[in-house]
Amino acid sequence: MAAQGRRVVLAEVTISRAGNPVGGLGDLGAPLGPRAQTGKMLPSGRLLSSLVPGLLLAAQVAAAFEPISVGLAIGAASILTGYLSKGLYCRFSECCHEKRPLNSSALKLDLEEKLFGQHLATEVILKALTGFKNNKNPKKPLTLSLHGWAGTGKNFVSQIVAENLHPKGLKSHFVHLFVPTLHFPHEQQIKLYQDQLQEWIRGNVSACASSVFIFDEMDKLHPGVIDAIKPFLDYYEQVDGVSYRKAIFIFLSNAGGDLITKEALDFWRAGKKREDIQLKDLEPVLSVGVFNNKHSGLWRSGLIDRNLIDYFIPFLPLEYRHVKMCVRAEMRARGTDVDEDVVTRVAEEMTFFPKDEKIYSDKGCKTVQARLDFH
């Protein structure tokens, strides 16, 4: 399996150096996960090399007193060398800790303190990740599809998830972000993209079984591209000698935003709280709507047809009060005192819809940072 992973890496490096003319995966800037496994020895390796002769010499001296000590000392040298080698390597370079437990309390706190107005997303993501990470033998990878208008928190949630799974978050060698307009721009190159995508995922999962793959702007992805990864999301123990069962796939899309807004607006007009909206009110509508939407990236996709997406997670449109929460959070993140006058001015500069009720921010919290710069 390791050898297969190395072959994938070499192929990927060749593509990168050649400069893919069609903007495929060879143009990705993120470092390949397997590269960390096949890189040069760290300087600390010289330190270990100098320790081994000393341990072996000690074994020879011990042999003068008791022959069995030779075997014990050599065994200790081997164990210690292996332990120090991995420990020191992981101190200076990121390692894949596949059995690293999820701190559910930390994830819960992050979602509650940093994500506003999204009770469904908070609940579903917390339960889905906790259940998946606590399962020592999952039957398939965890696959989440996040839907809603821009600025409602989809990208922010994917960042929170990444940080709770791998300490370096989106900068981790084991977290991979794909942007269709950058990595899959040409409709006539779909077959090439499918092949490259399979190779990229196979190589990185071979290096780290708990790899995370985030596909942003799915609504801009050419139909058919994403079906290339269908075998990896299915209930197979292995595919060509590689198990994908511990990997996580996250899709982000604006598709379905209109369906979500309609449901939220119906609740508001009926005098119900948005917190009363349940996943069962939206998930079936979302899955069908996205499947039949040519601009969803999942149009007539086998991923939906085969029920390989575990959760369709709706992100509700944000209200005026939620925008104010975003402004306060941004001010605290910048290390400045929260000025309620500024909070109100920034929130009031946003535009809201529908035209008559003006309940929801049409850009969510997307422009809060830029607008705060003027105050």
Side-chain angles (χ1 to χ4, degrees), residues 113-116 156 322-336 338 343 365 368-369 372:
E113 290 188 349
K114 300 175 182 178
L115 185 65
F116 309 118
F156 195 41
H322 301 128
V323 174
K324 294 182 77 171
M325 291 178 184
C326 292
V327 179
R328 294 188 190 102
E330 178 61 22
M331 294 178 80
R332 285 192 290 267
R334 296 184 181 192
T336 60
V338 175
V343 171
C365 287
V368 162
Q369 291 184 359
L372 192 56

Side-chain angles (χ1 to χ4, degrees), residues 255-271:
D258 53 343
L259 301 173
I260 297 169
T261 297
K262 181 183 181 302
E263 186 70 18
L265 194 57
D266 287 345
F267 264 69
W268 184 85
R269 287 171 175 165

